[in-house]
Amino acid sequence: MSSPARPLAYRPGLDAVRAVAILLVVVGHWTLPSFPMSLMGSMTFFVLSGYFISGIVWKKEVYVGAPGRWERRLGVFFLRRLIRTLPPYYMSVALGFALPLVTLHQYPGWFLVPVSNLLFYRLQHWGEGVGHYWTMAVDEQFYLLWPVLLAVVPKRTRWLLLVAACGLIFRIAWSTWVRPKLAFALLPGCLDLFAAGAILRHVEQLPVVRRFAHFRWVALSWLAWSALWGILYLTELHYVWLLIYGSAGCVPAVITLNWAVHQATRPAHEKPVLTALRWVGQRSYGCYLYHLMLPVFYQRAIYHLFAAPETRSFWLSPLPTVMLLLPAMLLLAAASWHWLETPLNHWKNRLAYD
């Protein structure tokens, strides 16, 4: 048997970023504020995918045409990704079928093969309790594309910037000439976010990049992104916002990840809040899988238990919803991590690239 694959260096700061990102997504989806807080989390996850997968592709040489036995390494890469992502995904889909969630029963094939982003684009709306699966479908398609794309795109910042520009150009062109809504649900519409992560992975050790690894730049960049949203919404330029928010969000997401990867591996006396964030970050995949179906179950339970509209309105308001569903989501994520994801990770890490 081949020796176990040596994983890439662990970056603890990224787990804290994952935790904040998933909480932004979850609270945003549960409470539906006017401010797009959920986008802050989803954009960060896409940039993180670009950073992480590009690092694997370059370090392990799993791109098409790489020296040596690239076909075998590429096959191992795909198998490792499938082992890590698909079994937990199918477990959540099975739970969604049991609820039952209508969209899953109407269009099962689109979820059995992870192409739900194409389904939602075709329908031009999100399904009940399953709308979040579009990002996972895009991620799976990204895993297939990226080793091929990095084989033809030189490992230079200017070429990766060109790939990023293609994401913005695609959203503008597609929304203008094909269909105005949900262009960002298609893989080409997210290329700027994935490419931004690749750029960070390529330049993260440059002195000029390391100088921006401070939290003040993180805060300022997200404030600037929020100000852009406010300006475009106050002037009712919603359409422009939908076209550019991803490209604009690349900057604060990259700055956030740059700050995280340059933090100390693990402080000697870590604060409890950071320990808790790392715990949530490690289980962020499970949180994401189950978070959107929980409100469906909760709403049905409230309508079954209470007849008075006032009582229903109270229990379905944002604060009770978050306070009751957050522990349930963390419990499901912890169970997924302990009984499914951890054993899968041990199995995955035994698959050597060489």
Side-chain angles (χ1 to χ4, degrees), residues 155-192:
K155 190 182 177 182
R156 292 183 176 86
T157 302
R158 62 178 179 270
W159 287 99
L160 294 171
L161 283 170
L162 179 61
V163 176
C166 288
L168 177 61
I169 294 169
F170 173 84
R171 289 196 301 272
I172 294 173
W174 199 267
S175 299
T176 302
W177 292 311
V178 181
R179 184 178 282 180
K181 291 180 62 178
L182 298 189
F184 61 86
L186 304 175
L187 174 61
C190 302
L191 282 177
D192 43 0

Side-chain angles (χ1 to χ4, degrees), residues 286-343:
C287 292
Y288 192 77
L289 286 172
Y290 295 105
H291 83 277
L292 206 53
M293 61 181 64
L294 283 175
V296 177
F297 174 81
Y298 179 65
Q299 290 167 9
R300 293 177 185 177
I302 293 300
Y303 274 87
H304 178 74
L305 293 172
F306 304 107
E310 298 82 4
T311 306
R312 289 176 176 174
S313 296
F314 168 76
W315 287 109
L316 293 175
S317 61
L319 184 58
T321 297
V322 173
M323 295 300 292
L324 290 173
L325 293 188
L326 189 60
M329 180 194 71
L330 293 176
L331 184 62
L332 282 171
S336 174
W337 176 259
H338 181 75
W339 281 300
L340 187 57
E341 295 174 63
T342 298

